[in-house]
Amino acid sequence: MNITVIGTGYVGLVCGSCLADLGHKVTCIDISISKIRALQEGKIPFFEPGLEEKIKKGVLNHKLNFTNSYKIGCKNNIFFLCLDTPSLKSGAADLSKVFSAVDSIIENISSDSIVINKSTVPLGTTKKIEKKFLKAKDYIIDVCSNPEFLREGTAIKDFMDPERIIIGSQSESVIRTMKKIYHPINKKRNKKIFMSVESAELTKYAANCFLATKISFMNEISILAETHGGNIHEIREGIGSDSRIGSSFLYAGLGFGGSCFPKDLKALIYEQKKLNLKPGLVENTLQINQRQLEVFYKKIAHFYKNQLSQTNLFIWGLSFKPNTDDIRESVAIKLIKKLSPKVNSLTLYDPLAIANSKKALSNLSNVKFTRNQYLNFHKANGLIICTETKDYADPIISELQKLKDKVIFDGRNILDKNKIEANNILYQGIGI
Ligand code: UGA
């Protein structure tokens, strides 16, 4: 099938290259000239495991191409909208890119078409898009909602082997086309769930808000555990073994970041307020997440008391989670901004996110970056861990012992507390 994907961010590039891998002929459009030029030269704008290979394969097999031109993109009659919908100051989702893409399709469309919306949009947006398309009088344009559930770091796998594909449409012909598009994925199991457009839109928000709520719930319990001598690892195992609860997304820590959870929670709260509904759980989830950073910061400040200003700290992990160079809403970056004016120096290490962090922290004079995970540990007072990167779980103990104060603040509970303490290193985790 000939498909046009609009937007070459995370969702668009993963979606485009995977659709090409499934055998479709895909044109990816973006209005950014530099981005498209780079993609045409084989340069991928961010790190995502497996993405570069998929894109190169698609281009080599003539299944994938990139363009700025809607005229070219509109030769096809199946469109995926993969535009980002960042938070406005009010918390509302900014839909300007989505509607501007819709306008461009209207200007250039050349046949009856199907528009599949993958962007995360508030309830009712897909219907609004459909109304706009009524302006393209000469053609019939069906719009459906097909939210994405990709996680950064595992996005290719999530696309090629999804737990479910949500399709919001009442139209028989759209449903037929969607079945064809995803047919190669669906060979073994029936993973498609059909529903109304509104349910599909809300399913996306509900999924992200629920996952975020699980995290904040565990963070709330972690504070109780810590106060009463409990251990959050044991509690996670204890409740996670109940199949009604499930064991994933129960990791207490510094809280959630990234370009999705904070934005989607804010958008849902905004929608609730707009409808005069009282926000409850979701608003609390966000507040607990913000508080978690304060709790951790206080732990460090309390440990050093009036010595904090002379302290040199080493930090592992800058991205919002492992396996990505993405620092959007990264809790590590927020912590660094908070700590920097209070301490003598911060040395920052991350396997992937140094370049992006350098830009974000360029105004902090007492911050330096290193590609050596253990650089001059004897000059640092303590170590702070901010992401649950696997490599951090099994550190070189003899290096940790060089830390002046022999202390580790583990913001992701990734280290084995007993092992660390057995080596005479102080350990401060979360809820342990
Ligand atoms: C999230 C969802 O998991 C995807 O399903 C969704 O498609 C995506 O948002 C989106 O809306 O585009 P992502 O933002 O890539 O994916 O990251 P997650 O793996 O969900 O992690 C989010 C944050 O939660 C990270 O900062 C992570 O460190 C934190 N986290 C995760 C915890 O603190 N505890 C946990 O138990 C799990």
Side-chain angles (χ1 to χ4, degrees):
M1 299 172 96
N2 294 334
I3 296 174
T4 292
V5 173
I6 304 177
T8 58
Y10 266 99
V11 178
L13 279 185
V14 171
C15 174
S17 60
C18 287
L19 286 171
D21 205 31
L22 294 178
H24 303 299
K25 200 156 191 269
V26 181
T27 301
C28 289
I29 300 188
D30 202 293
I31 51 165
S32 161
I33 291 171
S34 57
K35 233 174 165 185
I36 290 298
R37 192 175 301 140
L39 283 162
Q40 285 166 341
E41 287 165 8
K43 293 180 198 138
I44 317 302
F46 51 83
F47 175 77
E48 177 63 34
L51 180 63
E52 191 169 348
E53 293 84 329
K54 272 264 181 301
I55 291 179
K56 285 195 171 146
K57 187 178 162 195
V59 171
L60 203 72
N61 294 340
H62 304 287
K63 291 282 184 194
L64 185 63
N65 66 85
F66 301 99
T67 180
N68 291 119
S69 160
Y70 270 88
K71 224 183 176 80
I72 294 174
C74 285
K75 285 183 182 155
N76 296 334
N77 64 353
I78 299 172
F79 298 88
F80 275 84
L81 297 179
C82 300
L83 291 313
D84 56 330
T85 55
S87 287
L88 290 168
K89 267 206 175 96
S90 61
D94 181 355
L95 300 174
S96 54
K97 287 186 192 163
V98 173
F99 282 109
S100 139
V102 168
D103 287 338
S104 302
I105 297 175
I106 292 172
E107 276 168 33
N108 293 282
I109 200 148
S110 54
S111 57
D112 292 348
S113 300
I114 292 176
V115 174
I116 300 147
N117 181 40
K118 270 205 169 291
S119 299
T120 303
V121 294
L123 206 58
T125 308
T126 309
K127 282 274 156 74
K128 279 187 196 153
I129 294 174
E130 204 159 47
K131 264 194 191 155
K132 273 206 115 186
F133 276 126
L134 289 176
K135 280 191 200 160
K137 293 186 194 90
D138 296 341
Y139 304 107
I140 298 166
I141 301 162
D142 285 314
V143 186
C144 79
S145 170
N146 173 216
E148 60 79 26
F149 299 97
L150 311 176
R151 291 161 296 175
E152 287 183 27
T154 53
I156 297 286
K157 186 191 159 292
D158 290 343
F159 191 97
M160 299 303 276
D161 186 21
E163 288 187 340
R164 83 289 207 194
I165 299 169
I166 301 286
I167 297 163
S169 175
Q170 240 73 51
S171 148
E172 286 297 325
S173 72
V174 170
I175 291 173
R176 259 198 317 274
T177 304
M178 293 301 278
K179 280 184 180 168
K180 269 196 211 159
I181 293 173
Y182 286 117
H183 175 71
I185 287 178
N186 206 38
K187 270 183 192 153
K188 288 182 200 139
R189 284 171 283 167
N190 187 15
K191 298 170 176 181
K192 295 190 195 90
I193 304 173
F194 296 96
M195 56 179 74
S196 73
V197 163
E198 290 77 8
S199 297
E201 287 175 334
L202 199 50
T203 297
K204 168 68 190 189
Y205 278 106
N208 273 3
C209 291
F210 185 73
L211 290 170
T213 303
K214 281 181 99 174
I215 299 170
S216 278
F217 176 81
M218 286 310 274
N219 282 335
E220 179 151 284
I221 298 293
S222 74
I223 294 176
L224 274 172
E226 211 167 300
T227 321
H228 291 277
N231 180 323
I232 199 70
H233 286 310
E234 293 169 357
I235 298 164
R236 190 187 67 249
E237 206 185 336
I239 65 168
S241 55
D242 183 331
S243 62
R244 292 170 303 172
I245 296 174
S247 58
S248 59
F249 272 72
L250 292 183
Y251 289 88
L254 272 170
F256 54 82
S259 64
C260 304
F261 284 178
K263 162 183 83 77
D264 291 350
L265 268 65
K266 283 180 200 157
L268 198 84
I269 295 164
Y270 177 85
E271 289 300 313
Q272 285 176 311
K273 289 185 177 162
K274 208 172 84 183
L275 295 167
N276 280 329
L277 300 170
K278 204 171 176 303
L281 208 51
V282 180
E283 194 166 49
N284 280 330
T285 295
L286 201 56
Q287 279 161 4
I288 292 168
N289 197 52
Q290 282 151 359
R291 186 180 70 191
Q292 203 62 9
L293 175 66
E294 295 302 318
V295 170
F296 192 65
Y297 170 78
K298 278 191 189 139
K299 213 171 251 188
I300 300 166
H302 182 259
F303 180 85
Y304 283 109
K305 297 196 176 73
N306 52 9
Q307 301 294 307
L308 190 62
S309 60
Q310 293 129 58
T311 308
N312 303 305
L313 294 168
F314 209 107
I315 296 186
W316 286 355
L318 304 173
S319 51
F320 84 95
K321 71 172 195 182
N323 255 330
T324 175
D325 60 359
D326 193 347
I327 57 160
R328 286 176 290 174
E329 292 281 334
S330 156
V331 189
I333 299 292
K334 289 182 188 169
L335 180 69
I336 290 160
K337 286 183 178 167
K338 210 169 158 55
L339 273 172
S340 162
K342 308 282 184 190
V343 299
N344 187 49
S345 77
L346 294 170
T347 305
L348 313 180
Y349 167 81
D350 189 286
L352 297 166
I354 287 185
N356 286 340
S357 305
K358 269 187 182 165
K359 283 181 219 151
L361 302 171
S362 59
N363 58 335
L364 304 183
S365 56
N366 62 346
V367 156
K368 56 176 180 283
F369 296 85
T370 175
R371 295 193 185 274
N372 176 349
Q373 200 178 336
Y374 298 97
L375 181 81
N376 294 333
F377 254 38
H378 61 283
K379 289 186 184 165
N381 291 86
L383 169 68
I384 301 172
I385 300 179
C386 289
T387 54
E388 58 274 37
T389 303
K390 275 198 185 115
D391 283 355
Y392 305 159
D394 190 19
I396 304 169
I397 299 291
S398 58
E399 287 291 339
L400 300 182
Q401 278 168 329
K402 291 180 188 163
L403 293 166
K404 280 187 200 163
D405 299 322
K406 289 196 174 47
V407 61
I408 299 173
F409 301 93
D410 184 356
R412 296 292 174 183
N413 288 344
I414 192 162
L415 296 180
D416 179 341
K417 181 185 185 204
N418 294 335
K419 186 174 166 191
I420 297 295
E421 287 181 342
N423 284 286
N424 297 320
I425 299 164
L426 293 167
Y427 178 85
Q428 300 227 0
I430 290 175
I432 307 178

